[in-house]
Amino acid sequence: MSILSALFQRRKNKYSNRTAEKELFDKENIPKKYDSALEKNIKSLENVFHQTVDFKKVPLKIGHQDAYLCYLTTTLSKNDLNSQILEPLRDAYKRDVEVKSIESIRETFFPAVSYEYVDSLSQVIWEMLNGSAILMIDKCKRALALNIGGTEKRSITEPSTQTIVRGPKDSFVEDMQVNMGLVRKRIKNPRLVFEEFVVGNDSNTKLALCYMKEIVNEDILSELRSRIKKIEASALLDTGNIEELITDSSYTFFPLLFNTERPDSTSGNILEGKIAIFLEGTPFVLIAPAVFTDFFQSSEDYYQPYFLTTFIRVIRYVSFMITLTLPSLYVAIVTYHQELIPTTLLINIQSQRESVPFPAVIELLIMEFTFEVLREAGIRMPRVVGQTLSIVGALVIGQAAVEAGLVSNVLVIVVAFSAIASFVSPVFNFSIAARLIRFILILMASIMGLYGILLTLVVMVTHLVGLRSFGVPYLTPVAPFKLKDQKDVFARFPFWTNTTRPSYLRTAAPVKMKNQSQPKPPSPNKGDENNG
């Protein structure tokens, strides 16, 4: 067993024989069936919510029958509660209403309100937690859950982490229903499926899988369902928690699932045959499976001319290699391979480093650590102050370090350029992998020079070849090489040539566009030529 496996091995909990809180909620503390006696149901709810101030129960009279309206003030809108439920029931006690069933009450007082009938107290509690008001009437065998809308939510704004110049400007929010609606707005197809789960033993968070029926690979979908059902976490507050629990490998710097807050990017991936994972409470959606080349592509690539997109993609790949290797190349060449530097440049570099008291590797690590601190401080501080700090702080500290003789001018250029290149990646968490591996390359370059860099890159590529995302090789369609998928990897071919879905997904419908050819101008009319 490897060291990492031993460190992260799951240990048996001494409380493992105890029943989970979710099971207590479903089975033991609450009666399985809804009781027709109103007082018994109210007492059961009071036992569950007796210590929370947001639980409210409003006594009502409908005709000659006693009733209660129960709800949580923190999960619904008070204005909607008053206008849609309490107002219709205001004079219900005066009306000569015969309560035959809960169905007749709904038809009489709430014909236009979204509803659901519940026949167990566990379901009553679940509906209340999801923002419904529960109407319970004495001697009725079922309760009525009225969904009148939730509390205030953040409005749809522009994406904050994946900005583009041309394309849709909306982004996901923390409400899962709104997010699913943004995808449904783009894919008006009955084959678009949203499959709901509940995850988190304590948080009971809603999760949804979104895919195109009759297109998605059923084997990948079944595997994803299986992994989600095995989740036994206490609470899941973001899709980052889901990512760690369902990925094929946790011992890697590289993300094995693609995350996005853009509805257009999510819709495009779903139409390709991939699966989107939505989680209540977060604006970031996961896309599975993901391959290495996905992290060099942006939704804007398909809105710009394909020649420009190809050029930008080349810049992204080059920037990734610059971020990864430029600092380590500086250390290796300055320390071991000075013969590779032109004489004039070598003299300039050595003259600048003459007053520097540290070797190249220590000098570089000091500056790299300083830039990482500035980067993190710029993110965590208030937005306006953070931008000023990251820019001014880098200039001031860099200039002061050079004047103090701690680092050379060339090193500041190397560190700054590699830091700027790391921001070219369209996906933030992918650039983190390059930043982390960069430190390993720097240390190897200080020990073995260019040979250390080459050895580390070989190990990295070997590691990438062995990675899988739900069984799909991470480096596909490059390794294994798939010729038919090369139209949208390093270069983007014209849109009318992209007629098939990625073959590595093994979708049920590999062809997505038929009889599409290059557009041409209309041929001149012979009659018009003769008249001319």
Side-chain angles (χ1 to χ4, degrees):
M1 182 180 293
S2 66
I3 298 176
L4 287 176
S5 298
L7 288 174
F8 292 104
Q9 184 180 14
R10 293 183 178 178
R11 302 179 182 274
K12 185 176 180 180
N13 194 328
K14 63 180 180 179
Y15 301 112
S16 59
N17 292 329
R18 292 187 179 182
T19 307
E21 288 188 24
K22 185 177 180 181
E23 295 175 356
L24 289 172
F25 170 77
D26 287 340
K27 297 178 181 178
E28 296 186 10
N29 286 355
I30 307 299
K32 292 184 178 180
K33 292 184 178 181
Y34 181 83
D35 201 299
S36 58
L38 179 61
E39 291 301 325
K40 289 185 178 180
N41 298 325
I42 293 299
K43 286 182 179 179
S44 297
L45 290 181
E46 288 176 342
N47 290 334
V48 174
F49 295 110
H50 71 284
Q51 289 183 332
T52 179
V53 296
D54 60 341
F55 171 68
K56 301 296 180 184
K57 59 183 190 299
V58 180
L60 300 169
K61 199 84 171 180
I62 302 178
H64 301 289
Q65 294 287 91
D66 292 326
Y68 271 96
L69 183 69
C70 300
Y71 58 92
L72 297 174
T73 58
T74 52
T75 62
L76 47 72
S77 170
K78 292 182 179 179
N79 292 332
D80 293 336
L81 177 71
N82 292 329
S83 62
Q84 298 185 38
I85 299 180
L86 294 179
E87 183 65 25
L89 292 174
R90 184 179 59 179
D91 298 326
Y93 71 96
K94 297 180 180 179
R95 300 174 61 176
D96 188 14
V97 179
E98 184 180 355
V99 183
K100 296 181 179 179
S101 65
I102 194 71
E103 291 85 354
S104 63
I105 295 298
R106 187 204 66 79
E107 293 173 358
T108 303
F109 293 97
F110 314 108
V113 179
S114 176
Y115 69 94
E116 186 172 346
Y117 297 115
V118 291
D119 52 10
S120 70
L121 277 176
S122 295
Q123 193 177 357
V124 166
I125 296 172
W126 176 247
E127 292 295 334
M128 288 177 62
L129 292 171
N130 282 283
S132 295
I134 308 297
L135 180 63
M136 297 185 291
I137 304 175
D138 193 23
K139 298 180 181 179
C140 285
K141 296 181 179 180
R142 294 199 293 178
L144 177 62
L146 299 167
N147 187 1
I148 56 174
T151 55
E152 294 294 328
K153 61 191 71 172
R154 182 169 66 93
S155 59
I156 298 172
T157 58
E158 291 190 23
S160 59
T161 60
Q162 296 173 331
T163 56
I164 63 174
V165 177
R166 181 179 179 180
K169 299 296 183 181
D170 55 348
S171 67
F172 291 130
V173 295
E174 286 75 16
D175 191 290
M176 191 173 75
Q177 293 295 326
V178 174
N179 296 341
M180 293 191 296
L182 290 173
V183 174
R184 178 72 72 178
K185 181 180 178 181
R186 287 168 168 81
I187 308 177
K188 298 179 176 67
N189 193 317
R191 293 185 296 171
L192 181 67
V193 176
F194 292 100
E195 190 174 334
E196 189 172 285
F197 298 83
V198 177
V199 292
N201 294 334
D202 295 333
S203 62
N204 291 311
T205 309
K206 288 184 179 181
L207 179 147
L209 298 182
C210 179
Y211 55 89
M212 289 293 291
K213 187 172 58 175
E214 300 176 10
I215 292 179
V216 69
N217 185 321
E218 290 293 338
D219 293 334
I220 296 177
L221 179 60
S222 299
E223 179 63 23
L224 182 53
R225 282 198 198 107
S226 174
R227 295 185 189 185
I228 289 175
K229 290 177 180 178
K230 292 179 182 178
I231 293 176
E232 292 294 337
S234 172
L236 297 168
L237 304 179
D238 187 80
T239 48
N241 305 139
I242 298 288
E243 186 174 359
E244 290 189 28
L245 293 171
I246 65 174
T247 50
D248 291 52
S249 175
S250 299
Y251 309 133
T252 180
F253 292 134
F254 296 92
L256 298 181
L257 292 177
F258 184 84
N259 74 83
T260 180
E261 59 175 340
R262 297 192 58 86
D264 57 332
S265 177
T266 303
S267 302
N269 280 285
I270 291 172
L271 291 170
E272 289 289 318
K274 297 186 178 182
I275 306 166
I277 305 172
F278 294 82
L279 187 70
E280 183 70 40
T282 176
F284 288 93
V285 172
L286 296 178
I287 306 294
V291 295
F292 184 80
T293 56
D294 288 342
F295 298 93
F296 293 91
Q297 300 174 5
S298 170
S299 56
E300 189 178 11
D301 294 352
Y302 305 96
Y303 311 144
Q304 299 283 7
Y306 58 90
F307 285 119
L308 176 62
T309 296
T310 300
F311 174 69
I312 292 174
R313 282 193 184 174
V314 172
I315 290 178
R316 289 175 189 154
Y317 283 103
V318 173
S319 298
F320 173 74
M321 293 306 300
I322 289 173
T323 303
L324 201 63
T325 62
L326 183 60
S328 57
L329 287 174
Y330 172 82
V331 172
I333 292 175
V334 169
T335 306
Y336 295 103
H337 309 284
Q338 295 91 344
E339 69 278 2
L340 297 178
I341 307 175
T343 304
T344 305
L345 180 59
L346 177 61
I347 294 172
N348 291 334
I349 293 175
Q350 293 300 332
S351 62
Q352 293 175 15
R353 298 196 69 256
E354 188 174 357
S355 59
V356 177
F358 306 110
V361 61
I362 301 299
E363 178 188 11
L364 181 60
L365 288 176
I366 291 173
M367 287 305 299
E368 285 285 357
F369 181 75
T370 302
F371 270 82
E372 290 296 332
V373 170
L374 287 172
R375 191 202 308 253
E376 189 65 18
I379 294 173
R380 304 304 169 193
M381 291 187 68
R383 186 165 298 178
V384 177
V385 180
Q387 293 176 354
T388 305
L389 174 69
S390 59
I391 297 172
V392 177
L395 293 173
V396 172
I397 292 178
Q399 183 65 28
V402 171
E403 292 180 356
L406 297 178
V407 298
S408 62
N409 289 322
V410 175
L411 180 68
V412 174
I413 295 173
V414 169
V415 173
F417 187 56
S418 61
I420 293 172
S422 67
F423 290 109
V424 175
S425 174
V427 184
F428 176 74
N429 63 337
F430 185 79
S431 64
I432 295 176
R435 286 159 53 188
L436 293 174
I437 297 174
R438 181 172 60 191
F439 286 97
I440 299 176
L441 286 167
I442 291 171
L443 294 177
M444 292 298 294
S446 66
I447 297 171
M448 302 175 63
L450 292 177
Y451 301 104
I453 296 175
L454 181 61
L455 179 62
T456 305
L457 291 178
V458 169
V459 172
M460 184 189 78
V461 173
T462 305
H463 171 69
L464 289 174
V465 170
L467 290 178
R468 296 288 186 275
S469 179
F470 290 92
V472 176
Y474 194 56
L475 286 187
T476 189
V478 178
F481 184 79
K482 296 182 180 297
L483 181 61
K484 62 176 69 175
D485 294 334
Q486 300 303 312
K487 296 179 181 180
D488 194 22
V489 180
F490 301 104
R492 183 178 83 79
F493 281 42
F495 191 75
W496 47 267
T497 65
N498 193 9
T499 58
T500 58
R501 295 182 172 87
S503 62
Y504 61 82
L505 293 176
R506 303 186 301 278
T507 58
V511 178
K512 66 178 180 180
M513 191 187 304
K514 294 182 179 180
N515 302 323
Q516 189 67 38
S517 59
Q518 181 180 4
K520 297 179 181 179
S523 57
N525 193 315
K526 294 184 179 180
D528 293 341
E529 291 180 355
N530 295 332
N531 293 334

